[in-house]
């Protein structure tokens, strides 16, 4: 399969988990390289639903090496809960999961600060997952963070945590929030540290050994291109590089070892949280929500929905270098008479063929739509490209062409089998 970076080409929740699970069959190693437990990657195996937050989705297949790379931020208590939850379903992490020594830690004060800053922002809030992601990456950039390597060194961790709690309690008090008890946090984190210690290794060395042995590595992106800290709709973004470059910095595997980039996108658009979404449409949102679809895997929030936005996905191809596309949730459009896809933006008489960086301009952008006739037939039982309705094939080919990459996978349902390879 070669070394593959998989990224979300929209605003997250594109169906990366499902596609990762499908592609893992041919991979030896699956690596998370950025984000934290703000991610929620859904995988169905038979009727069983799994939602993965920090553990790579590759864990659901046996004998695949799973790595949480240096670029990820880890809430250790939540990671232990995830590992225990997986064990209840017979999924064993011991021996298959490796966690970077240098991944940064998320602490309860990060979560609290995340929540307090959102309250302070009022109507301008980002709509974060409140998992403490922004403050944790903030500490990393400010060089005031703590890492896994500190967590598993008890005397060092005690000293580091004591100072951190002291400093952050002052900030929490200024927000009018309750200060944290060092004792409680210390006890919880030390217990998690003891549990996680056997998983913690130098993942850069581990991954380079895999590269040397010509193993196939799959880099599991979290979030999506327009949530990228540099390339997204700032400030309505997450705090990591969700685009392809993040796979290198977040793993220590260099760019020239990467062979291809797969972009995952829905056949329409969704976004959870605040910020501009040019093709947002109540019509499509009502339809999908009535079908019980498009509720967040991490927070349960109803996702905002809209028509497919090719201006955005074209830009995703540009910044990620997407070679191949996996288009998911094709079946979500099965009942529509007319399907729209945005081919450009307009503000007054000015046309934009790219996503403007100025958030105010982007908020004013009106989509220019191309219309496609709907196929109005269920697609969820389709397993081969030729069996898809001709109108569905035409729509998928058109949006792939507008996006500027080769259509490689079409997904017609959440299950592994509901996958069409081209
Ligand atoms: P991720 O964060 O990119 O992994 O995506 P999420 O798991 O948060 O959200 C994607 C949702 O779409 C999940 O509920 C998946 O089970 C579901 N899904 C993925 N592909 C398909 C598909 O082709 N059809 C349908 N009906 N559901 C899909
Ligand atoms: P996966 O990997 C969709 C969004 C939040 C919010 C913004 C910032 O499942 O695709 P954060 O908590 O990261 O500071 O929130 O980013 N967000 C996601 N939206 N899918 C995700 O992950 C997301 N992770 C964060 O809703 O708008
Ligand atoms: Mg998700």
């Amino acid at each position: 399969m070669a070394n593959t970076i998989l990224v979300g080409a929209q605003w997250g929740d594109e169906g990366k988990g499902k596609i990762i699970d499908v592609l893992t069959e041919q991979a030896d190693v699956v690596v998370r390289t950025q984000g934290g437990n703000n991610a929620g990657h859904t995988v169905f195996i038979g009727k069983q639903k799994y939602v993965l937050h920090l553990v790579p989705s590759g864990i659901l297949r046996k004998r695949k090496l799973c790595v949480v790379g240096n670029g990820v931020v880890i809430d250790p208590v939540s990671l232990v809960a995830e590992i225990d939850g997986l064990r209840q379903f017979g999924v064993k992490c011991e021996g298959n999961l490796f966690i970077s020594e240098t991944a940064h830690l998320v602490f309860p004060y990060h979560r609290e600060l995340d929540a307090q800053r959102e309250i302070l922002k009022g109507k301008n809030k980002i709509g974060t997952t409140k998992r403490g992601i922004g403050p944790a990456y903030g500490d990393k950039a400010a060089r005031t963070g703590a890492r896994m390597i500190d967590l598993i060194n008890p005397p060092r961790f005690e000293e580091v945590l004591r100072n951190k709690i002291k400093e952050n309690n002052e900030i929490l008090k200024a927000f009018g929030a309750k200060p944290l008890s060092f004792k409680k946090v210390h006890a919880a984190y030390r217990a998690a540290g003891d549990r996680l210690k056997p998983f913690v290794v130098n993942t850069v060395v581990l991954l380079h050994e895999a590269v040397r042995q010509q193993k196939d590595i799959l880099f599991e992106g979290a979030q999506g291109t327009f949530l990228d800290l540099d390339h997204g709709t700032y400030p309505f973004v997450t705090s990591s590089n969700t685009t392809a470059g993040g796979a290198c910095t977040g793993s220590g595997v260099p760019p020239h070892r990467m062979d291809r980039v797969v972009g995952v996108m829905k056949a329409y658009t969704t976004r959870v949280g605040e910020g501009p979404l040019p093709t947002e449409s109540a019509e499509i949102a009502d339809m999908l929500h009535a079908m019980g679809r498009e509720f967040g895997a991490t927070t349960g929030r109803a996702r905002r929905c809209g028509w497919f936005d090719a201006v955005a996905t074209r830009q995703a191809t540009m910044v990620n270098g997407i070679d191949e596309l996996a288009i998911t949730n094709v079946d979500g459009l099965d009942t529509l008479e007319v399907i729209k896809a945005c081919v450009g933006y307009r503000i007054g008489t000015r046309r934009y063929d790219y996503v403007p960086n100025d958030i105010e301009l982007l908020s004013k952008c009106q989509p220019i739509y191309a219309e496609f006739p709907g196929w109005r037939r269920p697609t969820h039982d389709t397993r081969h490209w030729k069996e898809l309705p001709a109108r569905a094939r035409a729509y998928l080919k058109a949006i792939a062409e507008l996006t500027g990459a080769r259509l490689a996978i079409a997904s017609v349902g959440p299950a592994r089998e509901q996958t069409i390879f081209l």
Side-chain angles (χ1 to χ4, degrees):
M1 184 179 83
N3 293 342
T4 300
I5 301 175
L6 182 139
V7 292
Q10 296 164 319
W11 277 268
D13 301 330
E14 295 90 347
K16 297 177 295 292
K18 169 185 164 162
I19 303 298
I20 286 282
D21 173 63
V22 167
L23 295 181
T24 300
E25 191 173 13
Q26 288 138 42
D28 303 302
V29 185
V30 184
V31 195
R32 271 283 305 270
T33 59
Q34 42 72 226
N37 63 350
N38 49 348
H41 297 176
T42 315
V43 181
F44 276 90
I45 296 174
K47 290 233 160 5
Q48 186 58 53
K49 176 178 171 179
Y50 299 88
V51 181
L52 295 135
H53 299 287
L54 273 165
V55 177
S57 304
I59 201 77
L60 301 176
R61 291 194 190 258
K62 289 203 168 62
R63 287 179 292 281
K64 305 290 177 178
L65 212 71
C66 289
V67 177
V68 178
N70 55 276
V72 175
V73 288
I74 299 175
D75 179 332
V77 174
S78 142
L79 178 54
V80 167
E82 188 172 339
I83 291 171
D84 287 346
L86 284 166
R87 181 182 299 143
Q88 286 189 349
F89 292 110
V91 180
K92 196 169 125 280
C93 291
E94 287 76 9
N96 299 321
L97 179 67
F98 298 88
I99 302 167
S100 169
E101 296 169 335
T102 58
H104 275 251
L105 299 172
V106 180
F107 287 102
Y109 50 80
H110 290 133
R111 284 199 305 273
E112 193 56 40
L113 288 172
D114 192 352
Q116 292 297 330
R117 284 178 190 160
E118 286 281 273
I119 293 169
L120 199 66
K121 282 197 169 106
K123 68 173 178 35
N124 296 322
K125 71 175 198 277
I126 296 167
T128 72
T129 60
K130 298 202 180 75
R131 297 296 190 273
I133 304 299
Y137 275 114
D139 267 347
K140 175 178 175 176
R143 296 153 297 170
T144 50
R147 310 189 288 181
M148 285 304 291
I149 206 166
D150 304 313
L151 179 67
I152 58 172
N153 178 332
R156 192 201 294 170
F157 182 69
E158 181 171 345
E159 192 192 331
V160 168
L161 183 70
R162 204 178 282 283
N163 292 330
K164 300 246 147 276
I165 295 264
K166 203 167 146 204
E167 179 189 340
N168 282 282
N169 274 349
E170 292 306 315
I171 305 172
L172 287 177
K173 275 190 254 168
F175 272 110
K178 230 174 97 198
L180 294 160
S181 141
F182 163 78
K183 232 173 122 186
K184 276 194 193 153
V185 178
H186 183 254
Y189 274 60
R190 276 300 313 128
D194 286 342
R195 283 288 310 280
L196 294 176
K197 192 172 180 185
F199 297 96
V200 179
V201 297
N202 183 327
T203 51
V204 174
V205 171
L206 180 102
L207 287 169
H208 276 261
E209 184 54 25
V211 169
R212 202 186 60 76
Q213 293 177 11
Q214 301 195 319
K215 296 250 161 86
D216 290 325
I217 308 176
L218 183 53
F219 296 84
E220 173 173 353
Q223 291 84 47
T225 299
F226 295 96
L227 293 173
D228 183 282
L229 184 55
D230 288 86
H231 300 290
T233 52
Y234 192 91
F236 301 99
V237 294
T238 190
S239 297
S240 64
N241 283 119
T242 62
T243 47
C248 295
T249 52
S251 68
V253 178
H256 72 297
R257 294 287 177 228
M258 302 299 184
D259 300 301
R260 68 165 175 169
V261 180
V262 174
V264 184
M265 58 191 204
K266 281 178 174 149
Y268 47 88
T269 305
T270 64
R271 170 168 206 166
V272 56
E274 307 303 318
L277 188 64
T279 61
E280 189 163 17
S281 143
E283 181 194 347
I284 186 164
D286 291 347
M287 175 191 80
L288 291 163
H289 291 151
M291 289 155 87
R293 295 165 67 139
E294 301 308 344
F295 293 92
T298 294
T299 58
R301 291 178 288 177
R303 293 177 183 143
R304 297 157 65 196
C305 304
W307 298 109
F308 184 80
D309 182 345
V311 179
T313 58
R314 198 154 54 222
Q315 189 145 320
T317 298
M318 195 160 85
V319 296
N320 293 294
I322 295 172
D323 302 299
E324 293 177 14
L325 287 171
I327 305 182
T328 68
N329 288 274
V330 176
D331 54 309
L333 302 178
D334 281 352
T335 55
L336 290 170
E337 222 160 302
V338 175
I339 299 169
K340 294 189 208 174
C342 169
V343 295
Y345 298 154
R346 188 175 51 74
I347 304 177
T349 52
R350 168 134 196 225
R351 186 183 163 123
Y352 290 84
D353 290 311
Y354 57 89
V355 182
N357 285 321
D358 185 325
I359 208 82
E360 277 180 35
L361 274 188
L362 181 56
S363 308
K364 289 190 189 130
C365 280
Q366 296 296 320
I368 301 167
Y369 285 120
E371 293 194 352
F372 297 82
W375 45 93
R376 308 195 72 196
R377 246 175 61 196
T379 53
H380 57 261
D381 286 331
T382 314
R383 298 292 175 268
H384 301 284
W385 176 249
K386 287 268 153 62
E387 290 163 13
L388 268 181
R391 287 175 170 181
R393 277 183 277 147
Y395 174 69
L396 295 175
K397 279 288 185 195
I399 62 173
E401 192 165 314
L402 287 164
T403 301
R406 188 182 84 77
L407 177 59
I409 293 175
S411 168
V412 292
R416 274 179 187 167
E417 317 77 72
Q418 292 171 305
T419 310
I420 299 169
F421 295 92
L422 278 85

